[in-house]
Amino acid sequence: MFENLPTTYDEIKDWRWDDFKPYADKLLAIDITDDNIDAWLTGYRQIFELIGELWQRSAVATTQDTTDEDANERYLRYNDEVLPQVMTVENQLNQKLVKSGIVLDGMEVPLQKIKADIELFREENLPLISRENNLGTEYDRLIGAQTVEWDGEEVTLAQLRPVFLEADRDRREKAFRLTFERRLQDRDALNDMWKRFLDIRKDIAKNAGMNDYREYMWKRLKRFDYTPDDALAFFDAIEEAVVPAAERIYEKRRQALGLDTLRPWDTNVDVKGRDPLRPFDDVQALQDKSVDIFNSVDPELGEYVRIMRDESYLDLDNRKGKAPGGYCTYFPLSNRPFIFMNSVGTHDDIQTMLHEAGHAFHAFSASTELPYAQQMDAPMEFAEVASMAMELLAAPYLSEDNGGFYTPADAARARIEHLAELPYLWAWVATVARFQHWVYTNIEDAYDPEKCDDEWESLFDRYMKGIDYSGLEQYKRFRWRAQLHIYQVPFYYIEYGLAQLGAVQVWANSLNNHTQTLQDYRKALKLGGAVSLPDLFETAGAKFALDTPTLQSTVDLIETTIDELEAVE
Ligand SMILES: [Zn+2]
């Protein structure tokens, strides 16, 4: 549709909305017909590739150097001047597309998502959603300000986490109690904030004509392929299939540590008292060995990582001024994913690299294969299958004899640590997600913090078995307030549980037929968000089944693999 458009980021670096506007206006002015819809959608993609490139590049720059004033200014300018216009135009263009009534092949599911947004849209909810965002920032500030004194220094609660890996049990207990005593000081402020969140969410659901906020969020999160009842059945299945396995893994840990009972500060320390793994010294080794590992998994995937390394789309080292955390994003005009992390030479860094690389493969595959912008974004339930499955698929290549970092014994140790966390994650997903079902279908009761604590405690006791909380009940009852999703991103959590179910099934297939599994995995990634969730799972070779038998078989595989690896460790 548009000719002679810029092809590099440098050409659009200083673009303002006025530079984009003529193209958007042209798309808005066209009457969509059967004859021109392909060209119209192609033009849409061309423009949104430019916008996406500008947005992602300016956002990434602020994380690569938080002290870069120029980068910060660019990003703020994009947010203030460009983003509101982009959102308005995007909405107008999508309305136009829906009104045309034309549904091209592969656009059925994307159009269903667009329609859901249009149906939920209420002018009067905009100020409420912005108030909700501000309240989210207030929550961040409150949690971020929680510090304690440790070894004579003031540290954040996050900085205290490495203490739980230390062999000294008294220090771990002290750090645990200190963490919760500090959290409890904010009890009143968090309770007050909670009620304000509930007020806003009650109004948002009512304005949108929904029976309750759960019904509203189900639609907003585009959960077309499973109902709230399906989710509850999934949590029941977790109780049946996963909780006993998590208990067995904790029991093994208790015995290995030689303790009477396992306390909450005993869950992370190495059971054999070994120092943490130190797989690499410099970031070059992390990059190069990642290329080797992915080459072993699948040559095409190895080639993707090689391109990212050679063209500098990997920013992996920890340096002063860099923002914390790790992520993978995608520059649509350059057609390159970008991985950001803060590696310091621990095994966690490798795990992050394997995970984010899965997201990078997804971006490469979908953008190359699909014609239209509306088809690209995979649903979160499947986006995390791409990344979580890659952690498992690449794990056998962690040892030196397969191009990786470790002796066979250390590789086994790293894999055991990873696998042992999976049942725990499912149990935690059920606790956090099920609590929110209760909150938003009993919202008047949920205004009472004591009743929330009661409900939370009963769920915690049901799902988080195997850890002795006696004498720590008030910490346990308080714990939901420290789970940011419950405050900031309501209902967003089951995704991790569903994705993990898909990921373990993909890994199980690879044990029988590696080549076929990788083919299926790559085929599913190429579908982006163009088909339904069950279709994505099926293409990847997994069942989208939220039931006990499916969970049971994956949990059995996890436990038998841990047993096998323990013989090597
Ligand atoms: Zn992820």
Side-chain angles (χ1 to χ4, degrees):
M1 163 133 315
F2 301 115
E3 277 162 33
N4 304 320
L5 282 178
T7 53
T8 63
Y9 171 59
D10 272 346
E11 296 166 69
I12 56 166
K13 210 172 171 182
D14 295 313
W15 274 32
R16 305 285 183 108
W17 176 247
D18 282 347
D19 298 297
F20 291 110
K21 192 171 180 296
Y23 301 104
D25 285 346
K26 185 168 179 198
L27 288 173
L28 282 169
I30 291 172
D31 270 327
I32 304 176
T33 65
D34 286 318
D35 292 332
N36 68 14
I37 186 163
D38 177 67
W40 189 88
L41 284 166
T42 307
Y44 181 111
R45 178 174 178 173
Q46 287 178 299
I47 298 316
F48 276 82
E49 278 183 353
L50 296 180
I51 293 170
E53 182 90 10
L54 185 64
W55 177 42
Q56 292 301 339
R57 292 269 185 181
S58 53
V60 163
T62 64
T63 63
Q64 288 187 292
D65 182 0
T66 54
T67 64
D68 183 341
E69 300 286 346
D70 183 50
N72 212 26
E73 226 163 83
R74 264 175 208 284
Y75 182 59
L76 289 178
R77 198 172 68 207
Y78 178 88
N79 270 299
D80 291 346
E81 291 177 19
V82 185
L83 189 64
Q85 310 276 3
V86 168
M87 282 164 62
T88 308
V89 162
E90 190 178 20
N91 185 42
Q92 289 167 344
L93 290 171
N94 281 333
Q95 297 237 22
K96 202 177 165 73
L97 178 64
V98 169
K99 275 198 198 118
S100 78
I102 306 170
V103 184
L104 292 182
D105 273 356
M107 282 294 285
E108 298 87 347
V109 172
L111 279 167
Q112 190 187 16
K113 294 175 197 167
I114 292 168
K115 279 182 194 161
D117 281 333
I118 293 173
E119 282 163 25
L120 280 184
F121 182 83
R122 297 288 186 283
E123 192 83 47
E124 60 269 34
N125 272 343
L126 296 180
L128 291 175
I129 290 170
S130 124
R131 257 169 58 202
E132 191 186 18
N133 288 338
N134 292 340
L135 207 48
T137 313
E138 213 178 297
Y139 176 86
D140 272 341
R141 272 204 305 272
L142 190 79
I143 300 295
Q146 291 176 335
T147 60
V148 291
E149 204 185 298
W150 187 257
D151 289 342
E153 271 179 60
E154 191 186 354
V155 297
T156 63
L157 299 186
Q159 286 169 328
L160 217 47
R161 261 184 236 144
V163 179
F164 297 106
L165 301 173
E166 290 180 16
D168 184 337
R169 197 181 190 210
D170 290 338
R171 269 172 68 85
R172 299 201 306 267
E173 175 174 354
K174 195 178 152 205
F176 179 86
R177 290 181 183 275
L178 209 55
T179 298
F180 273 90
E181 284 304 320
R182 178 60 192 87
R183 283 176 174 163
L184 279 167
Q185 287 174 19
D186 288 332
R187 187 187 175 89
D188 289 344
L190 284 164
N191 284 348
D192 173 65
M193 208 182 278
W194 176 242
K195 289 173 194 170
R196 285 189 285 153
F197 269 116
L198 293 183
D199 280 340
I200 293 172
R201 289 172 184 163
K202 213 160 73 169
D203 287 347
I204 287 177
K206 201 170 141 228
N207 288 341
M210 296 287 169
N211 290 317
D212 57 42
Y213 186 69
R214 181 176 72 173
E215 192 183 334
Y216 169 84
M217 282 309 288
W218 225 259
K219 194 163 183 174
R220 183 158 132 187
L221 294 168
K222 321 284 184 338
R223 292 177 177 173
F224 307 127
D225 302 305
Y226 57 103
T227 64
D229 281 343
D230 294 334
L232 292 170
F234 182 53
F235 307 144
D236 286 340
I238 289 175
E239 186 174 14
E240 230 176 302
V242 178
V243 173
E247 265 189 290
R248 284 191 291 273
I249 290 171
Y250 280 138
E251 174 56 18
K252 256 196 208 171
R253 164 171 279 273
R254 183 193 69 77
Q255 287 178 14
L257 288 169
L259 301 171
D260 292 337
T261 63
L262 201 66
R263 303 287 269 166
W265 46 84
D266 299 323
T267 54
N268 294 95
V269 64
D270 184 67
V271 290
K272 293 184 179 171
R274 294 163 296 192
D275 287 332
L277 293 166
R278 303 289 309 174
F280 58 92
D281 292 326
D282 66 281
V283 76
Q284 195 60 44
L286 177 59
Q287 294 191 8
D288 296 344
K289 288 201 173 172
S290 296
V291 174
D292 292 344
I293 287 175
F294 288 116
N295 259 327
S296 305
V297 177
D298 182 302
E300 191 171 330
L301 301 182
E303 179 60 11
Y304 283 152
V305 183
R306 188 198 61 74
I307 292 172
M308 293 174 75
R309 179 194 65 187
D310 293 352
E311 297 181 8
S312 302
Y313 288 96
L314 301 174
D315 184 350
L316 308 183
D317 61 325
N318 174 269
R319 26 164 226 276
K320 206 169 166 236
K322 212 169 153 178
Y327 61 78
C328 173
T329 190
Y330 172 69
F331 301 135
L333 186 64
S334 314
N335 186 23
R336 291 288 181 267
F338 173 82
I339 294 177
F340 175 97
M341 58 189 272
N342 281 280
S343 76
V344 289
T346 65
H347 178 70
D348 270 355
D349 299 332
I350 295 176
Q351 209 69 37
T352 304
M353 182 65 197
L354 302 181
H355 180 97
E356 301 304 340
H359 289 309
F361 302 148
H362 213 168
F364 260 125
S365 313
S367 61
T368 310
E369 210 68 25
L370 296 164
Y372 308 129
Q374 290 85 348
Q375 301 170 307
M376 306 285 169
D377 286 336
M380 288 308 299
E381 293 90 342
F382 192 74
E384 292 296 326
V385 173
S387 53
M388 288 170 145
M390 193 39 67
E391 291 183 59
L392 293 160
L393 291 170
Y397 306 100
L398 285 172
S399 61
E400 286 156 350
D401 42 347
N402 287 308
F405 298 86
Y406 296 120
T407 63
D410 280 350
R413 174 185 166 190
R415 291 186 66 191
I416 291 168
E417 282 175 16
H418 177 221
L419 290 170
E421 278 172 12
L422 305 187
Y424 162 82
L425 180 77
W426 268 314
W428 188 244
V429 164
T431 314
V432 170
R434 188 157 214 156
F435 176 68
Q436 298 184 82
H437 280 254
W438 175 83
V439 165
Y440 296 104
T441 53
N442 298 275
I443 197 155
E444 297 310 324
D445 281 345
Y447 272 92
D448 180 347
E450 282 295 322
K451 285 187 181 157
C452 287
D453 290 357
D454 290 344
E455 179 64 21
W456 173 262
E457 187 176 23
S458 83
L459 288 170
F460 196 101
D461 289 344
R462 211 167 133 189
Y463 287 104
M464 306 307 292
K465 286 185 175 166
I467 303 168
D468 177 9
Y469 268 83
S470 48
L472 307 168
E473 288 81 1
Q474 63 161 342
Y475 298 156
K476 179 172 72 179
R477 288 169 62 82
F478 184 83
R479 177 64 179 82
W480 61 273
R481 295 174 183 81
Q483 186 66 33
L484 71 90
H485 300 75
I486 295 175
Y487 275 73
Q488 288 180 325
V489 264
F491 281 105
Y492 179 61
Y493 217 70
I494 190 175
E495 286 82 351
Y496 297 113
L498 296 175
Q500 185 166 283
L501 187 59
V504 179
Q505 290 180 74
V506 170
W507 168 54
N509 296 341
S510 78
L511 302 174
N512 295 322
N513 188 337
H514 181 86
T515 312
Q516 183 65 45
T517 302
L518 262 295
Q519 266 173 28
D520 294 344
Y521 170 86
R522 281 171 32 203
K523 199 170 160 197
L525 265 50
K526 287 174 182 167
L527 292 170
V531 302
S532 73
L533 207 42
D535 284 349
L536 287 170
F537 269 66
E538 201 190 309
T539 308
K543 271 191 295 181
F544 187 71
L546 289 61
D547 56 28
T548 306
T550 311
L551 261 172
Q552 190 66 59
S553 65
T554 58
V555 167
D556 290 346
L557 174 63
I558 290 167
E559 283 194 277
T560 50
T561 309
I562 291 177
D563 288 342
E564 284 164 24
L565 290 167
E566 275 170 350
V568 183
E569 188 192 19

